[in-house]
């Protein structure tokens, strides 16, 4: 009814979520964070190792990278 509609608060617009990050943005964020605790080349090596996970039979090559970092 018209009376009930007058009682309800007005609708508010909820802002849309930001678009998801691109792979390049994710990589840049990882490298930026990694640079806080390790040399840049170590961060790049770890990122490359993580990206290669789907093709790896074993993670044995990753552990030394993390220990050195």
């Amino acid at each position: 009814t018209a009376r009930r509609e007058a009682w309800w608060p007005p609708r508010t617009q909820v802002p849309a979520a930001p678009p998801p990050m691109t792979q390049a943005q994710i990589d840049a964020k990882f490298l930026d964070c990694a640079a806080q605790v390790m040399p840049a080349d170590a961060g790049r090596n770890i990122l490359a190792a993580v990206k290669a996970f789907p093709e790896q039979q074993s993670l044995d090559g990753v552990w030394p990278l993390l220990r050195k970092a």
Side-chain angles (χ1 to χ4, degrees), residues 4-23:
R4 183 172 181 196
E5 289 172 4
W7 178 83
W8 288 104
R11 290 186 179 204
T12 57
Q13 292 293 328
V14 176
M21 294 172 65
T22 66
Q23 187 60 52

Side-chain angles (χ1 to χ4, degrees), residues 13-65:
Q13 292 293 328
V14 176
M21 294 172 65
T22 66
Q23 187 60 52
Q25 290 171 317
I26 293 169
D27 293 353
K29 184 172 184 171
F30 174 85
L31 294 173
D32 183 53
C33 292
Q36 305 299 314
V37 295
M38 66 184 73
D41 61 329
R44 286 189 296 274
N45 290 339
I46 292 171
L47 180 59
V50 168
K51 286 182 160 191
F53 277 1
E55 294 85 33
Q56 300 300 316
Q57 297 294 323
S58 168
L59 298 179
D60 290 343
V62 175
W63 304 125
L65 295 173

